[in-house]
Amino acid sequence: MAAKLLSTGFRHSTLPENYVRPLSDRPRLSQVSQLEDFPLIDISSTDRSRLVQKIHQACSRFGFFQVINHGVSKATIDEMVSVAHEFFGMPMDEKMKLYSDDPTKTPRLSTSFNVKEEEVNNWRDYLRLHCYPIDKYVHEWPSNPPSFKEVVSKYSREIRELGFKIEELISESLGLEKDYMKKVLGEQGQHMAVNYYPPCPEPELTYGLPAHTDPNALTILLQDATVCGLQILIDGHWFAVNPRPDAFVINIGDQLQALSNGVYKSVWHRAVTNTENPRLSIASFMCPDNGAVISPAKPLWEAKEEEAKPIYRDYTYAEYYKKFWSRNLDQEHCLENFLND
Ligand code: OGA
Ligand code: NI
């Protein structure tokens, strides 16, 4: 059965068949714990070495952290959230103009994850945009709501600055030159996924997004300020990352796992649903240039003991991205296809 947009305003009383996961693959929400020591990092700190040390701990232990005092203004964030709500609240015929289930197409409004590849659908609608260079893409963005282009442009610019700041910190935290990532990743692309998870009649039977790792370099996630849903897998156990309204959630993507030679992990995460409230999240993905060659940073393995070697083979981001979208989300870690033998 083909999946269709869920953001219709209609409240389902039972979960349609095509969203029901097999018994062995359900969220088991009662077994999810709260993460007490989830890192919260003030990136305006002037104690650089302490800051870099905190980033190192967070990236090697969790692959995830939250940042505060991040430089993205509250007004920018509030406007972004409200335009996103307005977007998903538009009438169906307006939204269907942007609908596509072809993952190579942007912008696209779609549903689930990769409708053509998956057997069971996910309780999510999403709008996917390219955001850099803005001048190249802004004309193809939705023209409704009328403020969409202006608001999303401003948000994307501020997020990009934050992304570069964090990439510098991550480079330093690996003992690399501050601009190492920037150089290696080339002219970075920036994508956005505006995720909308409507209230779900049976959250125990399905996912908003099943477990996955992000294929890009770095993800900057704005979570709904009040509605929980993001969970991460640590030591084989699922933990909820509860929202903090003033923070962004940052996570290491597959490309930084490769560049760090596995020192930093691109951690499995998922989004679950709830019966009460719609949940919005806005993910910004910093992506290597398509032609960028990704390889484990030499200083991280070259000077080590004799048998040390790069875990992953060299590849271009274009090659990786194609592989990622040819799969179903909850298969093996996509990086496993790029291991050195
Ligand atoms: C994503 C993602 C999590 C969320 O878009 O890649 O992991 O909470 N989103 O919506
Ligand atoms: Ni993700």
Side-chain angles (χ1 to χ4, degrees), residues 124 193 195 197 209 212 214 221 223 230 269 271 279 281 283 285:
R124 166 182 87 140
N195 300 310
Y197 306 95
L209 263 179
H212 67 283
D214 291 349
L221 183 77
Q223 279 209 85
L230 175 64
H269 56 285
R279 175 170 178 266
S281 77
F285 305 106

Side-chain angles (χ1 to χ4, degrees), residues 9 42 98 101 179-180 224 226 237 248 298 302 318 325 341:
D42 176 352
L98 290 156
D101 54 20
D179 58 358
Y180 185 92
D224 195 296
T226 52
H237 193 92
F248 285 101
K298 249 192 181 167
E302 195 180 44
W325 280 100
D341 30 60

Side-chain angles (χ1 to χ4, degrees), residues 252-262 264 294-297 300 311-313 315 320 335:
I252 299 290
D254 295 352
Q255 305 317 313
L256 292 193
Q257 176 167 333
L259 278 177
S260 73
N261 203 30
Y264 291 172
I294 306 299
S295 53
L300 297 182
I311 301 175
Y312 306 105
R313 69 169 172 85
Y315 57 83
Y320 194 91
L335 264 180

Side-chain angles (χ1 to χ4, degrees), residues 150-174:
E150 193 190 325
V151 169
V152 178
S153 300
K154 186 155 171 274
Y155 181 82
S156 302
R157 284 199 181 92
E158 293 187 32
I159 287 290
R160 192 170 182 82
E161 289 308 305
L162 173 60
F164 287 145
K165 239 190 255 181
I166 295 170
E167 285 176 8
E168 285 186 352
L169 285 164
I170 290 178
S171 298
E172 283 182 59
S173 75
L174 287 164

